[in-house]
Amino acid sequence: MEIKNKVALVLGAVKGIGKGIGLALANEGVKVALNYFDWEESIDELKQDFAETDVEHLIIKTNLLETEKVQGLIRKVIDRFGRLDILINNIERGGWPVVHGKYMQEQWDLEMATTLRAKWWVFDSALPYLKASENGVVINFSSIAGITGRSGPASLIFNDGYAAANRGISLLTETWARIGAPQVRVNEIMLGIFETRHGEKTRGWELLDQEQRKSLINHTLLERTGTIEDVVNAVLFVVKDAPFMTGSIIKLDGGYTLGGETVQPMPEGIV
C-alpha cells in the first residue's frame, strides 16, 4: 500500500509509542493528526519533533472519555485534511497493582472507559470516513493482559479490570473487521512489556524490586522488554505490507505468553 499523502489519526500521541508511530508515519509522507489529553509538559517537544518532519500535521487536545467530544475530534481532522485513511487506536489506562493498590470503583471505571469505551467511540465516529477512503486501515492496540490476566509475574503489572478490558478489545477487532470489510482492514497489535508501557521507563517499573523485574524478563523468551522501534516496525508492516490481513491479532510480546512453559528433552523411547 502506498501511504504517502494519506491521512492518519493517532491517539495517545503526546509521547512514547503513540508519538513514535506518528513520527514514523510522518516520515513516510503521511499527514498526521495527533490527539492527546494529558502529559502537557511533553507538548513542546512533540511540536518540535513534528516540525522537523516538514510534513503537514495537526495536534489536537481532546478528552476521549467525554464521548460527546469524539465527533468533534473527527470533524477537525476532516476539516483540515479532507479525508481519513488510517486510525491508530492507541489509548489505554490501567495495569499496575503496585501503583494503584486495591481497586476503588473510580479506578476500575477509568480503566474500562479509557481502554475499551473510548476506542469504540472513536472507531464508530471515524468509520464513515475510513470507508470513503476505500483502503482504510485501523490498528487497535491491546495488551497481553487480555491473555495472561493477573497471573504469574504479570500479576505485578496487570490489574483485573485492565486485563478484562484488553480481552474485550480482541472481540471489538473481530467485529469491526466484519463491519469495515471490504473497504477497511481492522487488525490488532497486542503488546507485551515495553519500555514505555509496563517497562523500565514507567513509574511502576521503579516500584518493583530487582527480583520482581528479573522474573518478568526471565519469563520473556527474548529476555528483554520491547522498544518503540519494535512497535513501529509492526505498525508499518500492517499498514503497508499486509493488504490481505484483517481481523487478525499480532502478539508482540517477545514470547512472554510462551515463556512459562519449558520444553523437555526428547525421551529415548522403548523401540
Side-chain angles (χ1 to χ4, degrees), residues 64-65 89 91 112-123:
L64 298 176
L65 298 183
N89 219 342
I91 176 173
M112 291 293 180
T114 310
T115 303
L116 199 57
R117 189 185 73 198
K119 284 186 176 68
W120 188 94
W121 247 264
V122 174
F123 172 81

Side-chain angles (χ1 to χ4, degrees), residues 13-14 17 20-22 25 29-30 57 63 84 96 129 139 149 156 165 173 184 188 203 224 227 233 253 260 267-268:
V14 71
I17 288 171
I21 294 169
L25 291 172
V30 176
H57 61 278
N63 182 359
L84 178 60
W96 289 121
Y129 304 102
I139 298 179
L156 298 166
T173 297
V184 183
E188 179 178 338
R203 61 174 178 167
R224 67 173 178 89
T227 67
N233 288 339
D253 70 343
E268 293 294 331

Side-chain angles (χ1 to χ4, degrees), residues 9-15 33-44 46-47 58-64 73 90-91:
L9 170 59
V10 182
L11 306 184
V14 71
K15 55 186 264 184
L34 308 148
N35 191 72
Y36 79 100
F37 179 66
D38 45 15
W39 306 106
E40 196 76 42
E41 67 276 10
S42 300
I43 285 297
D44 288 342
L46 178 75
K47 292 178 178 178
L58 176 65
I59 299 174
I60 311 168
K61 183 176 182 178
T62 314
N63 182 359
L64 298 176
L73 165 64
N90 171 55
I91 176 173

Side-chain angles (χ1 to χ4, degrees), residues 119 140-144 166 169-170 188-191 197:
K119 284 186 176 68
N140 288 329
F141 274 90
S142 68
S143 167
I144 59 168
N166 276 281
I169 292 169
S170 296
E188 179 178 338
I189 297 178
M190 180 179 283
L191 299 179
R197 189 169 294 190

